[in-house]
Amino acid sequence: MTAFEVRRNRLYDWMAMEGVTLAMFEDAEGRRDPSLRWLTGQPGDALLFLSLDRRSLLVPWDINMAIVYAQVDMVIPYAEFERRPINALRAAAEFFKTPFGSKVEIPAVTPYPVFLHYVEALSDFDVLCRNSGIQEAAQQLRAIKDEEEIRIYRKAADITNTIITLLEDNIRSGNLKTETDVALFIENEGRQQGCDGTGFETLAAGSARSFGIHAFPPYTGGPFAAPGMSILDFGLKYLGYTTDVTLTFVRGALSSQQEKMLTLTEKAYKLAYSMIQDGVAAREVAVSVDTLFEKSKKAMPHGLGHGIGLEAHEAPALQSRLDNTWQLKPGMIFTLEPGLYDPVMGGCRLENDILLSDTGAETLTKARIIRL
């Protein structure tokens, strides 16, 4: 049984418990859902239908792409349905012989006016569109990576670590002088080493712009790693899975306040890492870091971390919000990224990707604070 079949079987079990007979996933422009790739191997731009009798149907925009990548029971080109999702869903119900009156679930992100069209077109069925539906179930399952995902992620992390070393060498030597130099270097080197590209737009903020959590614009032609603190936040995507790391580059003598920011950031990172173990409440880790900063009259204006995988931000959440109920479990991969920012002194952040295994926490990436 392939990894995709195992994942689909877990959702079939969920469907049985929920009484859902037919479910639809949609990955399209404006409504992206990487769970479709997680369930089939198809990179995207497709509809996926799962039937309670454990059969799957993929309806791709590009049939040639599906022939290469998709691992499902049946594939029918989207053009066969006039490129209309409602037509495809109605045909899937007929193909699977879905009994009238059955619960048929469509994506939770479906706009309400479109939902009404589904209800009208499938009047013989109970059409569900809900936040706590099958898409959320898939996201919950994706929070714990399987062996194949961890294998892919280790490779992505290895490439990321290689490029971190190359970045340091080229910045030290003066080969990379501007924010644009750095961002394009990452893009080029990543693709040269087999990556799909970057997982998100690289954030390269020289010392004059590092005061922001996410610099705007993400990078410019301005200097990078000039005197002070510069922030570099990037991720590399490999076989669909992206890393997410942040380095702070420090050049020249800093003020006592800047040194304190760096020291506190490193201390917060070490504190958070020391707490990572099976069963720990993710919120507890985040609250501990917030408390550490508060004792020094500092505040971190963002969450401590987040899950990472097919999306740059996915479950679990490592933040101090009261509604954060996530517990850390083996198989989760997530970031730890404490940071501090000041409009005058600039900012610093340290972010790595962490795997929690049965034997404890493992740091997959090698981001660090680099003093030039």
Side-chain angles (χ1 to χ4, degrees):
M1 187 177 291
T2 69
F4 301 113
E5 290 173 314
V6 171
R7 296 166 193 168
R8 290 198 296 269
N9 276 331
R10 296 175 73 184
L11 279 183
Y12 293 139
D13 292 341
W14 180 92
M15 291 170 65
M17 289 189 297
E18 291 285 320
V20 174
T21 306
L22 179 63
M24 169 183 164
F25 286 82
E26 180 181 20
D27 183 89
E29 187 174 357
R31 291 191 293 277
R32 291 298 177 194
D33 185 357
S35 289
L36 186 142
R37 183 172 189 170
W38 182 72
L39 291 164
T40 68
Q42 174 74 1
D45 289 318
L47 304 173
L48 172 66
F49 300 98
L50 301 181
S51 176
L52 185 58
D53 62 4
R54 297 181 184 265
R55 289 184 293 164
S56 56
L57 167 64
L58 185 74
V59 178
W61 284 212
D62 188 333
I63 187 65
N64 295 329
M65 194 75 70
I67 290 170
V68 173
Y69 291 103
Q71 297 185 42
V72 290
D73 298 316
M74 178 165 286
V75 178
I76 301 177
Y78 190 42
E80 294 288 324
F81 309 107
E82 300 179 342
R83 306 183 68 82
R84 296 186 63 200
I86 292 176
N87 290 357
L89 177 55
R90 193 163 47 204
E94 294 175 4
F95 173 76
F96 290 123
K97 295 182 172 55
T98 306
F100 288 162
S102 298
K103 291 181 180 179
V104 174
E105 183 145 4
I106 64 174
V109 296
T110 304
Y112 182 68
V114 178
F115 165 69
L116 294 180
H117 289 310
Y118 275 100
V119 171
E120 181 181 3
L122 289 97
S123 58
D124 293 324
F125 303 95
D126 181 8
V127 180
L128 304 179
C129 181
R130 51 185 177 157
N131 287 331
S132 58
I134 195 167
Q135 279 73 33
E136 182 175 306
Q139 292 168 2
Q140 297 271 335
L141 291 172
R142 282 170 45 202
I144 298 179
K145 273 57 178 177
D146 56 37
E147 290 183 5
E148 176 63 11
E149 291 179 289
I150 292 172
R151 181 191 69 79
I152 293 171
Y153 208 92
R154 286 189 184 280
K155 177 63 176 178
D158 287 344
I159 296 172
T160 301
N161 292 334
T162 296
I163 290 179
I164 287 173
T165 299
L166 291 173
L167 281 165
E168 180 177 356
D169 291 345
N170 280 273
I171 290 172
R172 285 189 183 280
S173 68
N175 289 334
L176 301 178
K177 295 182 173 64
T178 70
E179 296 171 354
T180 299
D181 289 341
V182 171
L184 296 184
F185 180 87
I186 292 168
E187 176 79 28
N188 180 67
E189 286 296 328
R191 292 186 184 272
Q192 291 288 342
Q193 297 193 39
C195 291
D196 308 344
T198 54
F200 50 90
E201 192 165 23
T202 296
L203 299 165
S207 55
R209 303 192 321 120
S210 65
F211 58 84
I213 301 169
H214 286 170
F216 179 82
Y219 57 88
T220 71
F224 186 82
M229 301 183 295
S230 298
I231 289 177
L232 176 60
D233 186 345
F234 75 95
L236 290 168
K237 184 181 290 187
Y238 179 77
L239 297 182
Y241 289 79
T242 183
T243 56
D244 185 1
V245 296
T246 305
L247 303 92
T248 299
F249 288 84
V250 180
R251 188 185 293 277
L254 300 183
S255 68
S256 59
Q257 294 96 327
Q258 289 172 316
E259 288 289 355
K260 183 177 181 180
M261 290 170 66
L262 288 169
T263 298
L264 281 171
T265 297
E266 289 182 310
K267 188 174 180 180
Y269 181 89
K270 291 175 182 176
L271 171 62
Y273 189 83
S274 72
M275 297 179 68
I276 301 303
Q277 56 183 313
D278 184 9
V280 168
R283 181 176 183 273
E284 180 183 339
V285 183
V287 168
S288 295
V289 167
D290 287 346
T291 300
L292 171 68
F293 284 139
E294 287 169 5
K295 288 179 179 178
S296 295
K297 297 185 175 160
K298 302 287 184 183
M300 180 171 65
H302 54 74
L304 174 63
H306 53 83
I308 186 122
L310 287 169
E311 295 178 280
H313 287 236
E314 57 182 50
L318 282 84
Q319 53 188 236
S320 54
R321 285 175 44 160
L322 291 173
D323 61 353
N324 181 13
T325 60
W326 281 99
Q327 285 190 327
L328 302 181
K329 298 293 182 184
M332 289 181 170
I333 300 178
F334 48 84
T335 68
L336 293 179
E337 49 181 298
L340 292 172
Y341 315 86
D342 184 273
V344 175
M345 293 179 286
C348 59
R349 183 162 68 247
L350 173 59
E351 176 184 20
N352 274 305
D353 303 342
I354 312 298
L355 166 65
L356 179 55
S357 69
D358 290 330
T359 58
E362 177 185 351
T363 307
L364 298 176
T365 53
K366 298 180 180 178
R368 51 199 179 270
I369 294 173
I370 298 174
R371 292 182 180 266
L372 302 169

